[in-house]
Every structure is written in structure tokens, then in C-alpha cells.
Amino acid sequence: MIFTKLILAHLLGDFVLQPDSWVADKENRKLKSKYLYFHVIIHTVLSFIFLWDLQLWWVAVLVGVSHFIIDACKLIFQKIKTKKRWFLIDQLLHILVIAGVSFYFQEFNFDFLENQNFLKILIAVLFLTTPASIFIKILLSSWTPVPETNNTIQTESLASAGKYIGILERLLVFTFIMVNHWEGVGFMVAAKSVFRFSDLAQAKQRKLTEYVLIGTLLSFGMAVLIGILIQ
């Protein structure tokens, strides 16, 4: 498939065959960096090699030109605070270009949208992300503990870390259930117990411990229930 070959070329060109020194030079010199053009040439050549069809030479050129335009926009507009955002945008646009080429050659279609099982799984996955977080937050709103001012244990955490940890754990639990590996759910519970509740025990805050425990059980319970319903 063209899509698979171009994705492989992209991964090699963007990550394996692009040294950190090239990335740093591009960020400093932007369009004046010679490594930007080396990078584009490598992508074009890799695309041509993996396609290995003279009639598809224009696809390799298209990938190379689009790669240059996308990377140039990223280098021009990204700031230090927006590097992560622009990295994600950059990768998404590259994949969309490859997907567009694949659609042109009719490698993909939208028949999967008519598959009821696919739609059920998609709805479940979407629910287990932000909607489930909101449901849990509302259910726990009356029990939100007040931090103790005299607590000497370090309680600082990454911004929104709890939200994303909850989303990831629900998606993992759902995945384990869908592939019929319930032992993975047990592993998730054990892993979180070791890393999370040991810290809470040191903090000696019973209310906070109970709050986190209820939230964790609700999170796992939602994922298990949705997994069972989908199956």
C-alpha cells in the first residue's frame, strides 16, 4: 500500500535520519538552514525508493514539496512556548498529505463509517476521554478535600496530570477488555496502587486518600462497564 510505504519513509526521514544538530540548526537559522533542504531531499528520495515506481515520481515530489512548506511554516511561526503544539500540527499535516495521496489512489474509503461495531467502539473511546472526566468530577464535587496547610509532604504535580492519567488508564482498561485480557486490568490497578497510594500514605491525609480511591474506582468502573456493554 502507498500509505504504508509513505508512512515508513516519513518515520525514517523525520526521526531516524534527522540528527538533533539538524533540528537545532533549523530552529536557529530557519529557512536559511541548509539542513532544512537536506531534510526535504531525504524525504523525497526515501518516498521514491519505497514507492519504487517511475510512474509515481510525482508522488515523491509532492511529498517533498509539501514537507518543505509544512516545515517552513512551523519554523517561521513556532515560538518556545508553542513548540509542542507546532510539533503535533506538523506531524498531523504530514500524515494528512500522505492520507490524501492514499485516498487519491482509492486505497481507503469511508465504508468503515457504516460498520456499527466500529461506531460503538468510537463512541466508547470518545466517552472515556473528557466526558468521563467531567462525569467523575461532578460526582466527586461534594467530597473535594481541602489541602492541609501544615502538610510537609511535597504535593505539587504537573498541570492537568490527573486528568490525562485518568483518560489513559480508562482507555487502557477498555482496550484490555476488548481484547479479552482481563489480567491487564488487574495489572493497571496494582500499578496505580503502588505509585499513587504510597504517596498518599506518606502524606497522611485520609480524606485525600479516600477521595482519590473513590475517583480511581469510578474511573476503572466506567471503563469496565463500557467495555462489557460494547462486547
Side-chain angles (χ1 to χ4, degrees):
M1 291 179 65
I2 291 177
F3 180 82
T4 306
K5 295 176 181 178
L6 291 180
I7 286 292
L8 180 57
H10 173 74
L11 293 175
L12 284 173
D14 239 22
F15 300 100
V16 179
L17 299 180
Q18 181 174 212
D20 292 339
S21 58
W22 287 24
V23 176
D25 189 82
K26 289 194 299 179
E27 290 179 347
N28 290 330
R29 304 189 63 195
K30 301 187 184 303
L31 299 186
K32 295 181 180 180
S33 173
K34 63 182 180 180
Y35 296 113
L36 171 61
Y37 303 95
F38 289 166
H39 179 63
V40 171
I41 292 172
I42 287 174
H43 265 282
T44 305
V45 172
L46 284 173
S47 298
F48 184 78
I49 291 174
F50 281 104
L51 291 173
W52 203 250
D53 188 341
L54 288 176
Q55 294 182 345
L56 298 178
W57 65 268
W58 62 273
V59 174
V61 173
L62 175 64
V63 170
V65 172
S66 65
H67 204 98
F68 171 78
I69 294 173
I70 295 169
D71 278 17
C73 290
K74 182 185 74 171
L75 293 173
I76 292 172
F77 295 111
Q78 79 174 1
K79 307 298 181 183
I80 294 178
K81 294 182 179 180
T82 60
K83 284 182 66 174
K84 180 173 69 174
R85 183 188 310 165
W86 272 104
F87 170 79
L88 296 175
I89 293 173
D90 171 81
Q91 293 301 314
L92 176 61
L93 291 176
H94 291 318
I95 293 174
L96 285 176
V97 169
I98 295 173
V101 172
S102 300
F103 275 114
Y104 175 80
F105 286 100
Q106 298 181 343
E107 287 190 338
F108 298 115
N109 53 52
F110 293 99
D111 291 343
F112 63 90
L113 293 177
E114 299 178 2
N115 188 313
Q116 293 299 315
N117 289 331
F118 172 81
L119 292 177
K120 290 178 182 178
I121 293 174
L122 180 61
I123 291 171
V125 169
L126 289 176
F127 173 78
L128 291 173
T129 56
T130 304
S133 298
I134 295 173
F135 271 95
I136 293 171
K137 183 178 180 180
I138 292 174
L139 291 172
L140 294 176
S141 59
S142 59
W143 295 325
T144 304
V146 178
E148 298 178 9
T149 56
N150 61 348
N151 180 37
T152 58
I153 303 296
Q154 181 69 27
T155 57
E156 293 183 359
S157 62
L158 299 175
S160 302
K163 172 185 175 182
Y164 294 113
I165 290 173
I167 291 174
L168 289 173
E169 72 185 14
R170 286 192 295 276
L171 292 177
L172 285 172
V173 169
F174 178 74
T175 301
F176 286 135
I177 294 174
M178 293 305 297
V179 297
N180 203 29
H181 280 285
W182 285 83
E183 65 275 13
V185 179
F187 170 79
M188 288 288 299
V189 173
K192 185 163 186 179
S193 299
V194 171
F195 289 107
R196 184 63 168 142
F197 296 113
S198 60
D199 292 339
L200 291 171
Q202 292 179 11
K204 297 179 181 179
Q205 295 187 46
R206 182 172 180 177
K207 290 183 179 179
L208 179 60
T209 303
E210 292 173 344
Y211 175 83
V212 173
L213 179 58
I214 294 172
T216 298
L217 292 175
L218 280 173
S219 182
F220 277 83
M222 280 188 178
V224 171
L225 179 60
I226 294 296
I228 293 173
L229 290 174
I230 296 299
Q231 280 194 328

